[in-house]
Amino acid sequence: MKKKLVTVMLTSAVAASLLVGCGKSDDSTTAAQDTAAGTEQVTEAKTTEAKGTEEKSTGAEDDAAKAKEVADLIDAIYVQERTNETDELCAKAKAAWDALTDTQKELVEGEEADPDYFGRDTGDASKDDPLNADNIGEKEILVVSFGTSFNDSRAQDIGGIEKAIAAANPDWSVRRAFTAQIIINHVQARDGEKIDNMDQALERAVANGVKELVVQPTHLMHGAEYDELKEALAKYEAKFESVRVAEPLLGEVGADATVINEDKKAVAEAAVAEAVKTSGFESLEKAAEDGTAFVFMGHGTAHVAKVSYSQMATQMQQLGYKNVFIGTVEGEPEDTACDKVIEAVKAAGYKKVILRPLMVVAGDHANNDMAGDDDDSWKSMFIASGAFDSVDTQIEGLGRIEAIEKLYVAHTAAAVESKGSEGSTGADASALKDGEYQAKFTTDSSMFKVNETYNDMGTLTVKDGKMTIHISLQSENIVNLFPGTKDEAEKDGAELLQPSKDSVTYADGTTETVNGFDVPVPYLDKEFDLALIGTKGKWYDHKVIVATPES
């Protein structure tokens, strides 16, 4: 049975072979056609793949082009000068950003542009008040800040100061100005909030018929920003009946690192107390026992006012705050650079560090330079040193501390009251014996004041019933003074006070020649007229006060 089955199978196989041989011509054609079809399908697949690659390439190029458009617009508004095109460019930048896909937004990169410009969440801008309303009356307090694009910080730090000043001065209108146009543009483009720059705020004040203007800077010190504020104000000073500039947070600079004042003491106490409270310690001493140091990071400056940071370090020492250190982003003064501060904290033996800004506003510097995750942030550098068990941050500006707000309120009050008491007759020369005294000389303008090295002081000479005070000014820009009004000074035969050339030495050792004047003093502790003329040949009226010297 097995043999027969095999034979049948072989016979069937041969028959099948013969059938294949008989149909060879037709089957070859079919095979060829199948091959051609297969080749065509492969070709079509390759063409489709090529088209897909081309489309992907075109899509990527389109994404890059749209992202670049936004980056270019951001770079165009990342400037410190407002132009007639600023409003239009801000609107275009935001519209172009909103039109991007999430993928395209990640590609935004320019000289100053990045996805965070529009994309970073810094809080609710609607909680902030730009304080730029009109119809404000004849008395205005203009609070001037550098500014910040961080919405929460702007509302809490700057807004907190503004609200405190407004509450303390119900008869005055409080308005805002920022000096950083870059920040103004950023907030306007991203959030639609328009904040006045100095020129806009002063033009608004003039248009509103303001007669008495008090300017309160929120700046930390008499640095570059403060100088720029004074320059901007100089163009408008004659348009108001009176202009007074209040002190910045730390008050007068002083000659060297050893010079401190009540303002610096108040700031040191308030800042440290808030840092200790936020950290959860019962006291600074308890923090020290725990091995914890507090590092306050300021901005730093090349301006002569940089000695203020050294003075704050001196103040911390005098208060007995051994575990408190002062540093700056810019590393000026040199001993405030991050690496120097790290070494100082290590040498003191502290193993835990809490970083906190010595800045009115907790903005970009606090969030990025201090607490950021990049390798060059202070937090990262402290961690990278390997010297500390923990490094924590407190991202809070000085402006939200109640004691700091009260200090600004006090500075504003001093400026408001600086015109003196109109009911006072003032003390005459008979109040003092003949001789020389150091007396305080104050004016109604920051553009006209004693050189910073003298802390508002001049040399008062009393002789034969007459008083004269010698003052050294800030530069040689004031060429003559006149004891009276500008109208009297412009009359024929008016005897103008001629300058002396005084040499002053600043804290950094540099010297400068400035104009000095011997000013007749009709009485003490009451304002009197003193007109001035500058290099541009225009006279200005001013009110000054010479205080009775302390015995």
Side-chain angles (χ1 to χ4, degrees):
M1 288 295 294
K2 289 183 180 179
K3 269 190 172 182
K4 188 175 181 180
L5 180 58
V6 171
T7 301
V8 172
M9 294 177 65
L10 288 172
T11 303
S12 297
V14 171
S17 178
L18 290 172
L19 286 171
V20 171
C22 289
K24 183 177 181 180
S25 177
D26 291 339
D27 290 344
S28 296
T29 301
T30 301
Q33 289 174 345
D34 290 343
T35 301
T39 302
E40 184 177 349
Q41 289 175 353
V42 171
T43 302
E44 288 179 357
K46 289 183 177 180
T47 302
T48 302
E49 183 180 352
K51 286 182 179 179
T53 302
E54 183 178 349
E55 287 174 359
K56 285 182 180 179
S57 177
T58 303
E61 291 174 0
D62 185 52
D63 288 345
K66 290 180 178 179
K68 185 178 185 304
E69 177 188 1
V70 174
D72 289 345
L73 285 167
I74 291 173
D75 285 342
I77 58 177
Y78 203 92
V79 292
Q80 190 58 7
E81 182 178 354
R82 178 179 170 82
T83 69
N84 293 332
E85 298 178 337
T86 296
D87 291 338
E88 181 183 357
L89 288 172
C90 286
K92 280 185 176 180
K94 182 60 162 63
W97 168 263
D98 287 342
L100 297 182
T101 65
D102 290 343
T103 299
Q104 291 166 346
K105 288 177 179 178
E106 293 178 0
L107 299 175
V108 173
E109 183 177 356
E111 185 175 347
E112 302 293 346
D114 60 38
D116 281 348
Y117 189 87
F118 283 112
R120 184 168 188 170
D121 182 9
T122 66
D124 186 355
S126 67
K127 294 180 180 179
D128 184 44
D129 185 350
L131 295 177
N132 55 8
D134 294 317
N135 302 316
I136 61 175
E138 296 182 349
K139 301 197 300 184
E140 176 183 335
I141 298 172
L142 181 62
V143 181
V144 181
S145 306
F146 178 80
T148 179
S149 62
F150 282 73
N151 292 330
D152 283 345
S153 185
R154 190 167 66 256
Q156 293 182 64
D157 296 331
I158 295 175
I161 295 168
E162 293 166 341
K163 289 174 183 175
I165 292 173
N169 298 275
D171 297 332
W172 292 70
S173 294
V174 174
R175 291 296 176 265
R176 169 192 291 179
F178 281 2
T179 56
Q181 189 67 44
I182 291 171
I183 288 172
I184 293 172
N185 291 354
H186 191 174
V187 175
Q188 179 176 335
R190 185 189 62 197
D191 304 308
E193 179 180 332
K194 293 186 177 181
I195 299 170
D196 285 346
N197 60 27
M198 277 291 288
D199 284 335
Q200 289 173 308
L202 292 169
E203 288 288 356
R204 190 185 298 278
V206 172
N208 276 276
V210 171
K211 294 181 179 179
E212 292 184 68
L213 179 68
V214 170
V215 179
Q216 174 62 68
T218 66
H219 304 131
L220 196 69
M221 63 185 69
H222 285 271
E225 299 295 335
Y226 188 86
D227 290 346
E228 290 174 10
L229 177 154
K230 293 192 296 183
E231 290 174 8
L233 189 58
K235 297 180 292 183
Y236 294 88
E237 192 169 14
K239 298 182 180 182
F240 304 99
E241 289 185 4
S242 68
V243 177
R244 301 174 185 86
V245 181
E247 286 292 332
L249 186 57
L250 298 181
E252 288 291 343
V253 176
D256 56 47
T258 65
V259 178
I260 54 178
N261 55 32
E262 289 302 312
D263 290 333
K264 293 181 178 68
K265 180 182 178 183
V267 172
E269 291 175 336
V272 171
E274 190 69 18
V276 170
K277 176 183 174 182
T278 303
S279 67
F281 287 106
E282 292 181 9
S283 65
L284 184 62
E285 291 75 20
K286 291 292 185 181
E289 292 172 8
D290 183 62
T292 298
F294 292 89
V295 175
F296 287 87
M297 187 195 77
H299 185 278
T301 177
H303 192 278
V304 293
K306 66 184 179 182
V307 71
S308 299
Y309 293 107
S310 301
Q311 291 166 350
M312 283 300 291
T314 299
Q315 181 66 78
M316 297 297 183
Q317 293 169 6
Q318 292 198 5
L319 287 169
Y321 296 167
K322 297 179 180 179
N323 55 329
V324 176
F325 300 82
I326 302 294
T328 65
V329 178
E330 300 295 331
E332 293 191 70
E334 292 181 1
D335 59 354
T336 61
C338 187
D339 59 335
K340 299 292 181 62
V341 177
I342 289 174
E343 290 304 315
V345 178
K346 283 169 55 179
Y350 298 103
K351 301 299 291 182
K352 300 176 184 178
V353 174
I354 295 175
L355 300 171
R356 187 181 175 101
L358 184 65
M359 300 177 182
V360 175
V361 172
D364 183 69
H365 288 304
N367 283 273
N368 296 326
D369 294 318
M370 186 189 80
D373 294 325
D374 290 344
D375 292 342
D376 59 351
S377 78
W378 279 49
K379 181 183 76 173
S380 296
M381 287 190 281
F382 267 83
I383 292 173
S385 71
F388 308 103
D389 297 335
S390 66
V391 180
D392 297 314
T393 61
Q394 296 177 356
I395 309 177
E396 297 180 3
L398 296 172
R400 68 187 68 183
I401 302 173
E402 185 178 358
I404 298 294
E405 293 171 357
K406 289 181 178 179
L407 187 55
Y408 278 116
V409 168
H411 286 181
T412 302
V416 168
E417 297 166 3
S418 64
K419 60 183 179 181
S421 173
E422 295 180 359
S424 172
T425 58
D428 58 23
S430 62
L432 298 171
K433 296 180 180 179
D434 284 3
E436 288 189 354
Y437 304 83
Q438 291 300 301
K440 195 172 185 66
F441 179 90
T442 56
T443 78
D444 58 2
S445 170
S446 62
M447 275 67 72
F448 173 33
K449 62 184 296 185
V450 173
N451 189 280
E452 64 186 55
T453 60
Y454 292 100
N455 294 315
D456 287 337
M457 304 296 285
T459 300
L460 179 69
T461 300
V462 180
K463 185 176 182 180
D464 299 331
K466 293 182 179 181
M467 296 184 291
T468 303
I469 188 167
H470 183 82
I471 53 173
S472 298
L473 301 183
Q474 300 179 85
S475 67
E476 296 178 289
N477 291 337
I478 295 174
V479 296
N480 290 112
L481 297 179
F482 178 78
T485 66
K486 66 175 184 177
D487 291 338
E488 294 169 333
E490 290 172 339
K491 292 179 180 179
D492 292 339
E495 295 185 10
L496 309 183
L497 301 182
Q498 300 301 320
S500 61
K501 297 301 178 182
D502 297 354
S503 178
V504 296
T505 302
Y506 296 100
D508 62 355
T510 60
T511 60
E512 182 182 17
T513 298
V514 301
N515 281 349
F517 290 91
D518 291 316
V519 179
V521 180
Y523 35 70
L524 302 170
D525 304 320
K526 184 183 178 228
E527 66 181 16
F528 57 91
D529 292 314
L530 188 62
L532 67 82
I533 186 171
T535 54
K536 295 182 179 179
K538 184 175 181 180
W539 281 96
Y540 294 93
D541 281 329
H542 286 288
K543 301 286 188 181
V544 303
I545 298 175
V546 177
T548 299
E550 295 182 4
S551 56

